[in-house]
Structure formats: C-alpha cells, structure tokens
C-alpha cells in the first residue's frame, strides 16, 4: 500500500517540546475557521487550538457548555481546510468525554479523523486519568487543562482565579503530575496565581501553556478574538488587546455603508462593462425602454466623474 507524501512537514508535539527544551517559548492561539487559521499561521503560531471557546467567541453562547461534538467538528474541518503548518489541536467539548471511556475514545477519534493532531480535555482526578490513559493508548496525544476549567464553571463558582489557597494549590500540582504520568504531552494552566504556574512548570518534564497564569509557563495562549479585540468586551484581566478590532471593523463597514447610500459604491473600478458595440445594440433594441437606457448612461457617466 502506498502512502501519499505530505506536501508540507507538519510540526509534532515532539518539535514543540524541543523548542521548550532549547529555551524557546511557545505561542498557541485559538482559531475557528479557515480565515483565522491562515492568519494564525501567517503570524507564526506554533499551535492552533480549535477551542470550545468557539461557543462564546463566535456562536453567541454565554459559556462553552452548549458546544457539541458536531459544532467542534464543523469548525475543526474549516480550520483543517486551511492546511495550517501549526500544530493543530481540538477541544473535547462538555459531556463528550464524561460518560464513559468508550465515549471519550469515540469522540476524540472523530476529532483526530477530522484532522486534529491532539485533543485537550479539562480537569484531573481518577476518572480523567483513566480517560487520558485510554486515549494515549489509542495513539491520541492529549493536553491536560487545569485551574479554571470553563466546562465546570457552575461547580467551581464562576470565572475566577483558582487554587489561591494552599490545599487547592497542592491539589493542582498533584493533578498536573498525575496528568504527566498518565502520558499527557502538555498541561494548560488557566487563571491561577503566577507563582503556582511557575512551580508546576518547574516540577513537570512536559511543557505548560498558560492563560492568566503569569509569564513563567513554557508558552502562552489567548483566544483569537481577545487578542484582536473583536468583541465589544469587557475582557478578563489576563487578556491584552493588540488591536481595537471591533471599532476598526465598525468604522470600515460604516464607510462602505455610507458609500452605498451616497451612490459612491460600486464605482467604475468595481463594475463590469459591456463593449460599446453590444451596448449600442442593446440600447437600440431597448429604445422602447428609453428610461432604463438613459438611467444606465447617466449612472455610468456619474461614476466616471466620481472616480
Ligand atoms: O477553548 C479555549 O479557548 C481554551 C482556552 C483556555 C485557550 O481552552
């Protein structure tokens, strides 16, 4: 049986670990469609995550709980069609890995078949460890996710900094070690004190990715829309907007809208033309509809002048 050679050599999680071992930092960003994937790739992201944050960022949900496997697949497939060079991961959404190990395997398998190179799942503890082991046994690389785990925000008391107290901090440290021992290639740390994230990163042999976890993680992740300021906000403290995307886009769309209303768009440059011969023939044929012909002629000359 012959295998089709890949046209581009894809990054693997081993390349990512090598970057960290050599003292480099990793950059991970979410993307939910082909356009975002092209932009993330062109900006040099090491990892693209098709996150279940698609729920709040794009789909208008208040949290990630309504996000289903069908939604994740739909967005993952769009990202895959961009053929990004970045390492491509997808989130296992709420309830896609909680019911049984078989269910987790089936759902992670669907994401891998759709083009994900790894999956991310939230939380620690015995059940999650069993699932991580089964996925890794099936050849599916797994990134863990500890700290603020949005899929359980009802039980952790909302979106707030986690593991500030000694007992919770020790538990998080232990869960991170258990995830590493179960075979995770990385652990994402969300919204925890920076000193704790530094301890975890120091203790683990695998790399950490932080979001609201201070500067000492092996890499950082932010949601695409948050970096570019695409939603009106407010944003969590850990987000830094690098662009006022929302207002920039509103201004651009308003300019276009005003051009349409003032008959400045489309102009000559954005219009297709008949040859003079065909135009004259049509005009003669439509001489009965003289109003239309004269309107068309006057619109054309008006546009010529406005350009
Ligand atoms: O879905 C998501 O965007 C996440 C973030 C923590 C990056 O998991």
């Amino acid at each position: 049986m012959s295998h089709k050679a890949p046209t581009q050599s894809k990054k693997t999680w081993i390349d990512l670990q090598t970057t960290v071992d050599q003292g480099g930092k990793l950059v991970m960003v979410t993307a939910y469609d082909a356009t975002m994937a092209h932009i993330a790739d062109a900006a040099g992201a090491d990892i693209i995550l098709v996150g279940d944050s698609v729920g709040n960022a794009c789909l208008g949900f208040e949290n990630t709980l309504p996000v289903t496997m069908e939604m994740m697949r739909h967005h993952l497939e769009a990202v895959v069609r961009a053929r990004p060079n970045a390492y491509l991961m997808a989130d296992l959404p709420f309830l896609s890995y909680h019911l049984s190990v078989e269910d987790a395997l089936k759902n992670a398998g669907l994401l891998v078949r759709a083009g994900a190179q790894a999956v991310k799942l939230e939380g620690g503890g015995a059940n999650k460890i069993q699932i991580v082991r089964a996925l890794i046994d099936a050849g599916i690389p797994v990134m863990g996710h500890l700290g603020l785990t949005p899929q359980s925000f009802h039980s952790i008391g909302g979106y707030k900094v986690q593991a500030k107290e000694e007992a919770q901090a020790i538990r998080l440290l232990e869960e991170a070690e258990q995830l590493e021992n179960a075979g995770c290639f990385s652990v994402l740390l969300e919204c925890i004190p920076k000193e704790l994230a530094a301890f975890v990163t120091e203790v683990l042999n695998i790399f950490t990715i932080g979001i609201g976890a201070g500067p000492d993680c092996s890499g950082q992740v932010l949601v695409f829309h948050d970096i570019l300021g695409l939603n009106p906000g407010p944003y969590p403290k850990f987000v830094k907007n690098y662009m006022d995307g929302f207002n920039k886009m509103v201004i651009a769309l308003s300019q276009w809208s005003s051009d349409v209303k003032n008959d400045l768009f489309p102009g000559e440059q954005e219009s297709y033309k008949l040859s003079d011969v065909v135009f004259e023939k049509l005009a003669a044929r439509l001489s009965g509809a003289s109003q239309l012909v004269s309107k068309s002629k006057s619109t054309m000359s008006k546009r010529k002048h406005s350009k």
Side-chain angles (χ1 to χ4, degrees):
M1 191 176 136
S2 74
H3 292 275
K4 206 173 153 206
T7 48
Q8 231 175 3
S9 64
K10 283 284 285 177
K11 274 195 175 95
T12 69
W13 67 264
I14 299 167
D15 298 320
L16 301 172
Q17 185 64 56
T18 305
T19 300
V20 173
D21 293 344
Q22 290 173 347
K25 284 259 181 179
L26 294 173
V27 172
M28 170 163 157
V29 63
T30 65
Y32 315 110
D33 67 22
T35 305
M36 292 182 225
H38 282 306
I39 295 170
D41 224 30
D46 297 295
I47 308 171
I48 289 177
L49 171 69
V50 183
D52 59 353
S53 52
V54 67
N56 352 14
C58 292
L59 303 179
F61 296 126
E62 278 184 15
N63 52 56
T64 58
L65 302 186
V67 177
T68 62
M69 272 300 296
E70 287 68 32
M71 294 175 195
M72 288 303 299
R73 255 175 87 176
H74 175 77
H75 288 277
L76 171 62
E77 283 169 1
V79 168
V80 167
R81 284 192 283 272
R83 301 175 64 85
N85 192 40
Y87 190 71
L88 181 55
M89 301 185 49
D91 267 338
L92 278 165
F94 180 57
L95 283 192
S96 69
Y97 55 101
H98 305 73
L99 306 182
S100 66
V101 171
E102 290 71 27
D103 216 37
L105 272 170
K106 189 191 80 192
N107 287 322
L110 287 174
L111 295 176
V112 169
R113 283 211 166 119
Q117 292 173 273
V119 297
K120 176 165 77 59
L121 57 80
E122 295 184 7
N127 286 344
K128 302 288 164 50
I129 293 298
Q130 200 193 1
I131 288 163
V132 168
R133 285 192 198 286
L135 296 183
I136 286 160
D137 193 47
I140 301 175
V142 183
M143 178 182 278
H145 181 159
L146 296 174
L148 198 168
T149 46
Q151 290 172 13
S152 43
F153 92 107
H154 285 308
S155 59
I156 61 177
Y159 295 114
K160 54 187 187 195
V161 184
Q162 300 294 305
K164 289 203 289 194
E165 303 306 326
E166 184 187 349
Q168 288 82 27
I170 291 173
R171 199 175 80 205
L172 188 143
L173 205 54
E174 286 172 355
E175 286 181 348
E177 288 183 300
Q178 287 159 6
L179 287 169
E180 172 173 333
N181 292 336
C184 283
F185 69 93
S186 170
V187 177
L188 185 145
L189 302 168
E190 178 163 359
C191 219
I192 61 170
K194 62 183 185 149
E195 298 84 355
L196 176 59
F199 281 135
V200 176
T201 306
E202 180 66 30
V203 164
L204 297 189
N205 297 302
I206 55 177
F207 65 87
T208 59
I209 298 286
I211 175 165
D216 294 318
C217 296
S218 324
Q220 296 290 326
V221 61
L222 280 180
V223 166
F224 188 96
H225 289 53
D226 292 351
I227 301 169
L228 300 180
L230 297 186
N231 288 321
Y235 291 93
K237 174 182 161 66
F238 60 76
V239 166
K240 181 169 172 185
N241 297 138
Y242 284 81
M243 185 174 133
D244 180 9
F246 185 85
N247 285 315
K248 281 212 156 85
M249 288 188 190
V250 169
I251 289 168
L253 281 177
S254 307
Q255 282 168 350
W256 175 69
S257 163
S258 151
D259 279 1
V260 170
K261 288 181 194 292
N262 292 304
D263 211 10
L264 294 171
F265 179 90
E268 278 292 283
Q269 213 177 318
E270 297 90 16
S271 301
Y272 303 102
K273 287 180 77 174
L274 285 176
S275 69
D276 288 349
V277 176
V278 176
F279 179 83
E280 292 307 334
K281 285 196 172 153
L282 274 180
R285 206 180 238 264
L286 293 172
S287 56
S290 54
Q291 270 181 328
L292 174 71
V293 173
S294 64
K295 181 169 185 262
S296 168
K297 273 184 173 158
S298 83
T299 310
M300 282 183 187
S301 77
K302 190 171 159 193
R303 283 177 189 153
K304 257 182 209 151
H305 291 121
S306 73
K307 283 274 153 176

